[in-house]
Amino acid sequence: MKNFLQQIFASLIGTLAAIALSLTLGASGLLLLVLLLGQQSEPLVEDKTMVVMDLSSSIQDTEPILSLTEALSRDPGVVMPLRSVLETIRKAAQDDRIVALVLDARRGGNAFNGYATLADVRDALSDFQKSGKKIIAYGVNWDEKSYYLAAIADEVVISPLGNLELNGFGLQPVFFAGALEKYGIGIQTVRVGNYKSAIEPFTRQDLSPESRQQTEQLLGNLWSRYLGRLAQGRELTPQSLQAIADNRGLVLASVAKQQGLIDKIAYWDETLKTLESLGVAKDSTPKEGDDPDRLRQISLNSYRDVSVKAKPRRQSKNKIALVYLSGAIVEGRGTLDNVGSERFALILRGLLSDDQVKAIVLRINSPGGSATASDTILRETQRLQAQKPVVVSMGNVAASGGYWIATGGQRLFADPMTVTGSIGVFSLFFNLEKLGNNLGLTWDQVETAKLSNLGSTITPKSEVELTIFQGAVNQVYDVFLDKVAKSRNLPKSKVAEIAQGRVWSGVDAQRLGLVDELGGMEAAITYAAQQAKLGDDWQVQEYPGKKSLEEVLAERFLNTQLATMLKPEAIDNGWGQPWKKIKRELEPLQSFNDPQGVYSRSPLFWDSSNW
């Protein structure tokens, strides 16, 4: 009955939305919507064409479903799934019609593309070069993430007035303790793990010594890996790059060329003339001016829809299920933007009974969340692992509850720049007593036992109550240690030593035994196919599947997001960027729905910085 009512409601929402759109937009608006949502014909690719990759595009594990506002906006932004990017670059390498790939950073880079994601893309670009085709990178101003990809190019070009950012990795976490105290909102915490710093933004006004230590070590490891990859691509030394970061930070175009960071200083129209030498100019168009239409080109986003007959997409009845667990881990079904335990448990149970699914890859890109929800998903992962190979691929962040789930895999892959670990547990308790008193509010109570109001958010917790909650947190932490020790075949004492809520880079995680191999998503998929003994007879099936428009509309109507509650006019004025940073730091609070109030989550600033 519940599912029936949900289906009826979803259909009703879809119908009402269509009526509202027809009244608001008219015929032309509906036609636009149809064009946006409809299937497009395959783009035409001529001989001697270049593929252009816009580095301002967002690369995510899965392609998000746009809201209607985003879908109808003039520039909703290009978002490409990671596997699609990798497959498209590989396809371009095999396509005889494609002669070059251009990395276009004229609109800057996308700050929210994580380094683990970019590492996979960088490897695909390296394979493209091995086909003998050129990669040209052009930017007005190169930021560190865009340059991470550009450094591999055969030729890196910068605008005469541009600059290149090379100033190291830094974090500036926001602390709310002073503001909470100012407005009379009390907060108490219990935790296990000296490094479990997820609670610190609400309890301190600066980093604790432990948090500073782990952050410095983690950032240092990530930065060292970054410098190593740049040095490899540009035939420089990490030491020379470090000197530039220490003494310059923003490198002017002339200095960047002198230091060997780039190959050429040129305007875009001059770069177009260089590209003509690759044979991509249209013969019928005069080779004058800066009109890009005179070149045969196709965007990477459009080229992914092009079929290449020489090597068709892999088809097989044998499926490798690629399950994306992206976002905070929450109880219940969750939303489109997080990992709901009920929804993903159902998906995993379905894979267990599906005879065509021969192996499973869990792609985890999550800072954690509810301990109860994480354990629910882990249980279904373990049931799967008992019957079929389950391999874990860690994305930019796979920590706390994300690592809890990962312990169910038989082999764990992480990128060297993955942020993982954070094996620790905490609880947060807000109370409104002081705020209420300041407003003239008072409370009374009636109890049938001394602890009847144990879960109250009105008054602070007593020492007895905090002791009870500390016991619950200790128990969950002990279970966490047991699961890691058994999964990783490590002594529990060793796990306790490297846990403590501490976050590690992928390199350190492998050294400590928390992961097995350093590699990206494709490496994990290949390993899963080998474990299932499938040879070349397999194809990837992605989960969760795409939702219908009616389901998306119903879900957006039924779920109130914290983001919609944090949209003051300040977002559009001069201090909009600081406000957006604070907003991103606060958004994870909406995922705090564990029935026991116990969470395994990495520090908030690691989640929002998209490493």
Side-chain angles (χ1 to χ4, degrees), residues 60-128:
Q60 301 179 10
D61 277 357
T62 57
E63 191 166 23
I65 302 173
L66 298 178
S67 68
L68 289 178
T69 302
E70 292 168 327
L72 294 173
S73 68
R74 290 185 177 181
D75 185 13
V78 175
V79 180
M80 289 186 67
L82 174 59
R83 286 199 72 242
S84 180
V85 172
L86 304 182
E87 290 176 355
T88 304
I89 293 173
R90 280 196 293 267
K91 180 169 63 177
Q94 299 161 3
D95 190 344
D96 292 337
R97 297 169 297 180
I98 303 301
V99 297
L101 191 151
V102 176
L103 301 177
D104 183 2
R106 285 177 296 158
R107 296 203 298 173
N110 194 303
F112 297 103
N113 290 332
Y115 279 108
T117 296
L118 294 177
D120 270 344
V121 177
R122 199 176 190 277
D123 290 341
L125 292 173
S126 177
D127 291 339
F128 179 90

Side-chain angles (χ1 to χ4, degrees), residues 115-189:
Y115 279 108
T117 296
L118 294 177
D120 270 344
V121 177
R122 199 176 190 277
D123 290 341
L125 292 173
S126 177
D127 291 339
F128 179 90
Q129 284 179 314
K130 292 174 184 176
S131 69
K133 301 177 182 181
K134 297 291 186 182
I135 297 178
I136 308 297
Y138 183 88
V140 175
N141 296 300
W142 287 105
D143 60 42
E144 284 176 327
K145 287 189 174 181
S146 298
Y147 187 65
Y148 184 64
L149 296 181
I152 200 174
D154 297 281
E155 186 172 85
V156 182
V157 187
I158 193 171
S159 169
L161 292 182
N163 57 58
L164 188 150
E165 177 190 21
L166 190 64
N167 61 341
F169 294 165
L171 285 172
Q172 289 184 313
V174 178
F175 293 87
F176 303 98
L180 294 174
E181 181 180 359
K182 178 179 178 180
Y183 290 102
I185 300 174
I187 185 167
Q188 297 167 289
T189 66

